[in-house]
Amino acid sequence: MDKLKPYEILLEGRWNFVEGKIIRDEVSKRIEWLVAEVLRKIGVDESGWEYLYLDEEDGRQWILFYADSQRHGGGRGRSPR
């Protein structure tokens, strides 16, 4: 998997329903890997649906949130700067 590139400011993953199964796209898989292996969690909002992460390599902060939370799928990561 690729670490975050300096020009990236938004990663938008999707979970798709295909033939009765939920399938994560490659961006969702990358976000999951980044959260597990690269980024450090530094906060969470009161609802528990938005997480703040730090990329220690370049100092950028990233927010992980679920834009379609009513569907419990996908997820987005963006840098607030």
Side-chain angles (χ1 to χ4, degrees), residues 3-4 33-40 54-57:
K3 291 187 175 182
L4 293 162
W33 176 79
L34 288 165
V35 165
E37 302 294 332
V38 176
L39 302 174
R40 181 170 55 96
L54 175 66
D55 182 347
E56 293 179 325
E57 287 192 13

Side-chain angles (χ1 to χ4, degrees), residues 1-76:
M1 293 275 175
D2 292 331
K3 291 187 175 182
L4 293 162
K5 307 285 192 263
Y7 58 83
E8 290 181 308
I9 59 169
L10 176 68
L11 302 175
E12 187 170 356
R14 299 244 184 254
W15 291 9
N16 301 301
F17 193 70
V18 179
E19 296 179 6
K21 296 179 183 177
I22 301 291
I23 307 294
R24 294 176 297 147
D25 70 1
E26 292 304 312
V27 178
S28 288
K29 291 176 186 177
R30 183 173 173 225
I31 291 169
E32 186 175 292
W33 176 79
L34 288 165
V35 165
E37 302 294 332
V38 176
L39 302 174
R40 181 170 55 96
K41 184 165 62 172
I42 58 175
V44 61
D45 76 336
E46 292 178 10
S47 73
W49 282 99
E50 292 188 5
Y51 302 86
L52 183 62
Y53 289 89
L54 175 66
D55 182 347
E56 293 179 325
E57 287 192 13
D58 65 12
R60 286 187 296 170
Q61 295 179 350
W62 287 81
I63 298 170
L64 173 65
F65 63 97
Y66 297 89
D68 296 322
S69 60
Q70 71 277 9
R71 291 184 5 202
H72 296 275
R76 282 189 181 164

